[in-house]
Amino acid sequence: MEEYDVSTKIKFPAVRIFFLLMILLSAMTTIYAKPFDSKTDGSGVFVGEVGCYGEHEIQPQFLVQFRDKLQENLQIKQKDKTIHLVGGTDWITETGDVAERELLTHIHMDAIVYAPLFQKDLANAKTIHYAENVFGEDYFWNETKLEARRAMAKKPYRISPAMTDAAKDIGLKHKADYLLFCNVVEVDAELANSIFNSKPSSEEERAKHIKVDSNYYLIDVKTGFVYEGHIFLEKTARLQELFGTYGKAMNVETLLQAVFDKQAKKIVKDVFDNGKKALEKHE
């Protein structure tokens, strides 16, 4: 009769269970890994704030959706190893160091009001007050100065010395080479069943016309130089592909997310194809 090796029959399942546990642990580590962990290739990028400083306040859920799409596309960008995200997700969850969040807001507003494309008449009251404190109220009535400012579009510019120091300190704290900010100036939708521009009141509402207007800023923490970009998307020939992909009957929520994703892709591409290179010339 063939001998029955009890030890072998017991050990083999134990080994299998051990390896299964190791695989499960590895999978759980991957699932719960933070999006900014273990990335050291390329330049460190800290996302400071995604907010709205436009004349009309944007509903919070729209900003959250835009932030999510920007984060997704930044994580995709990490794969080419030219950048890596640093810091945490405080800019998404609005948690963490309150003083630092307030400082990031001031840096963002500094980048906005010093920018060549800044338009006072399209800003909210807080930003207008900030700009007038920096430049004086008369500055924005001087067309010669405003024209000279606009001529600097797409060229790096400096923020204030105080905010340059603040950006440098945040960069040192988070091991960041660059701070990235986005100002979603306006989100507007005209519903298919209405002749008036209005905010979507129901996820089932269909959009007839939609536009998203955003400015974005990449700050070199070493120099305080800023690259400013602007992107405007609406229902034009450029947007028809979205209707072709998602269908003309898609609701406002779905269409907005599609536009946000398209804007986020363009922002990430411009910032790191053009903006980063422009800032490197000033180092």
Side-chain angles (χ1 to χ4, degrees), residues 67-83:
R67 292 166 185 169
D68 289 344
K69 291 300 180 183
L70 185 62
Q71 182 192 12
E72 288 173 14
N73 284 279
L74 286 167
Q75 288 176 303
I76 292 170
K77 177 63 180 175
Q78 285 187 133
K79 294 179 181 179
D80 68 14
K81 298 184 178 181
T82 58
I83 70 160

Side-chain angles (χ1 to χ4, degrees), residues 175-189:
K175 298 181 180 179
D177 300 295
Y178 299 96
L179 305 183
L180 177 62
F181 296 87
C182 185
N183 176 21
V184 187
V185 179
E186 185 176 14
V187 175
D188 198 13

Side-chain angles (χ1 to χ4, degrees), residues 190-208:
E190 179 184 344
L191 303 183
N193 60 354
S194 173
I195 61 172
F196 302 104
N197 267 350
S198 62
K199 300 288 185 183
S201 57
S202 169
E203 290 186 358
E204 300 305 316
E205 294 282 8
R206 288 171 50 194
K208 178 181 179 181

